[in-house]
Amino acid sequence: MSLWIYPGTFDPITTGHLDVIRRASKLCGSLIVGVLNNTQKTPVFSTEERIGMIGKCTAGIGNITVEGFEGLLVDYVRQKKADAIIRGVRSFSDFEHEFQMASLNRMLAPDIETVFIMAASDYSFVSSTLLREIASFGGDLSKLAPPQIINEIYERLYKEDSI
Ligand code: PNS
């Protein structure tokens, strides 16, 4: 049974990420969502919070586990004995970055494949960065964030005096 890893920052998980998780989970035996515990970037949500949010949104999907990882992605994939990395692509600009990452990962670990899922058109404009900006002004998140975590996002990001 194939094991795939979907790595990312997920600060926070978006409807687009969730769409990739749902679709990937149907194609592989099991899927690990790997949340980068990045010591260089300071995410708005802690690693534990990001893992918890993804857990809430994926509770109904049987073959998913969510965990944090540190260091190089290819080392993590090897440690888990996973078969492939899965990434979502929204646009040409994404493609350029994803192509670079996949090529670098292939250089580091030629045996590890990266599989791409193209974003559904409903999610091609969704990103965690824009979601956070809209949340900070109290804008409508219903198409950007899974419903289970919308309150948690507003509680952290919406400051009424930011308008
Ligand atoms: O959600 P993101 O921020 O686009 O995810 C980027 C991520 C986590 C997949 C990437 O930054 C990563 O793999 N980081 C781990 C360190 C690493 O292996 N870097 C080299 C990748 S070319």
Side-chain angles (χ1 to χ4, degrees), residues 6-11 17 34-36 38 41 69-75 85 87 90 97-98 100-105 108 128:
Y6 180 32
T9 308
F10 305 108
D11 188 35
H17 292 132
V35 178
L36 181 66
N38 193 340
K41 274 202 237 168
F69 79 96
E70 285 175 345
L72 279 181
L73 175 59
V74 289
D75 291 341
I85 297 164
R87 293 283 289 171
R90 291 165 301 186
H97 178 60
E98 293 298 330
Q100 190 180 18
M101 278 208 305
S103 304
L104 274 168
N105 284 332
L108 294 169
S128 298

Side-chain angles (χ1 to χ4, degrees), residues 57-77:
C57 303
T58 57
I61 311 174
N63 57 343
I64 305 270
T65 49
V66 189
E67 58 182 42
F69 79 96
E70 285 175 345
L72 279 181
L73 175 59
V74 289
D75 291 341
Y76 174 58
V77 173

Side-chain angles (χ1 to χ4, degrees), residues 4-161:
W4 289 4
I5 291 185
Y6 180 32
T9 308
F10 305 108
D11 188 35
I13 182 172
T14 66
T15 48
H17 292 132
L18 191 55
D19 181 52
V20 171
I21 291 173
R22 283 209 186 98
R23 289 162 59 197
S25 72
K26 290 182 191 151
L27 298 173
C28 60
S30 47
L31 181 71
I32 299 176
V33 182
V35 178
L36 181 66
N37 186 8
N38 193 340
T39 46
Q40 282 153 4
K41 274 202 237 168
T42 317
V44 169
F45 295 95
S46 70
T47 307
E48 291 66 32
E49 287 170 328
R50 285 177 281 145
I51 292 172
M53 288 164 124
I54 299 169
K56 276 186 204 165
C57 303
T58 57
I61 311 174
N63 57 343
I64 305 270
T65 49
V66 189
E67 58 182 42
F69 79 96
E70 285 175 345
L72 279 181
L73 175 59
V74 289
D75 291 341
Y76 174 58
V77 173
R78 285 234 165 90
Q79 180 209 324
K80 290 287 164 186
K81 299 188 172 30
D83 301 294
I85 297 164
I86 173 96
R87 293 283 289 171
V89 183
R90 291 165 301 186
S91 59
F92 281 117
S93 55
D94 264 4
F95 177 78
E96 222 171 301
H97 178 60
E98 293 298 330
F99 181 77
Q100 190 180 18
M101 278 208 305
S103 304
L104 274 168
N105 284 332
R106 179 184 283 277
M107 185 199 75
L108 294 169
D111 51 316
I112 298 173
E113 285 299 339
T114 302
V115 176
F116 292 103
I117 284 192
M118 232 170 75
S121 54
D122 283 356
Y123 308 111
S124 59
F125 54 87
V126 176
S127 76
S128 298
T129 307
L130 292 177
L131 184 163
R132 291 196 306 270
E133 184 171 327
I134 290 167
S136 72
F137 294 108
D140 179 10
L141 294 183
S142 58
K143 292 206 164 56
L144 305 175
Q148 298 91 331
I149 61 167
I150 287 182
N151 283 345
E152 195 173 340
I153 297 171
Y154 280 136
E155 275 165 26
R156 176 66 51 85
L157 291 169
Y158 180 41
K159 311 272 182 284
E160 292 194 35
D161 55 8

